[in-house]
Amino acid sequence: VQLQASGGGLVQAGGSLRLSCAASGRTFSTYATGWFRQAPGKEREFVAAISRSGRSTYYADSVKGRFTISGDSAKNTLYLQMTSLKPEDTAVYYCAAGYCSSYGCYIDATQYSFWGQGTQVTVSS
């Protein structure tokens, strides 16, 4: 499985960005997928995940109501629509894929076997 994240950039607080993650093969029908982020000096943290079926989504409390995860199986692409961005959202964002079927798994970075290279999101105040 190969994942390629893109769409990051510099945006003012309150703005929006959409991240994309292009995947190889039948990634979305095989694996759960998610987004994680890592700010300088901090550990990688869970942002959002979507089940293999696409019927269930999960969000970190810090982004709930502002970010939306979705997948397009026909395009083999995972998205993260980010709105009302805050300076504390500044981080490198990574997409990931793995076998998950429980909430505890979805939010745990160690449960994901495949990772994209990351895309930088910077939110200025």
Side-chain angles (χ1 to χ4, degrees):
V1 175
Q2 294 184 331
L3 302 171
Q4 181 78 28
S6 62
L10 174 64
V11 63
Q12 289 187 331
S16 301
L17 278 176
R18 187 177 78 160
L19 304 184
S20 299
C21 177
S24 61
R26 302 179 62 182
T27 299
F28 299 117
S29 62
T30 305
Y31 302 99
T33 49
W35 291 94
F36 289 77
R37 66 187 182 187
Q38 188 166 17
K42 295 187 177 181
E43 293 187 355
R44 191 167 298 190
E45 65 174 1
F46 169 73
V47 176
I50 188 167
S51 64
R52 189 178 64 175
S53 68
R55 288 192 288 268
S56 299
T57 56
Y58 307 87
Y59 297 93
D61 288 343
S62 60
V63 307
K64 200 170 293 183
R66 299 188 297 123
F67 291 10
T68 303
I69 188 171
S70 62
D72 186 332
S73 297
K75 296 182 178 180
N76 284 332
T77 303
L78 179 72
Y79 300 102
L80 184 68
Q81 179 67 50
M82 306 186 293
T83 63
S84 301
L85 283 161
K86 305 175 181 179
E88 51 264 44
D89 294 320
T90 295
V92 177
Y93 283 70
Y94 299 89
C95 55
Y99 289 113
C100 279
S101 59
S102 67
Y103 178 75
C105 179
Y106 286 117
I107 67 173
D108 183 354
T110 66
Q111 300 299 316
Y112 289 77
S113 301
F114 307 101
W115 291 84
Q117 84 290 359
T119 184
Q120 176 71 46
V121 172
T122 303
V123 184
S124 63
S125 57

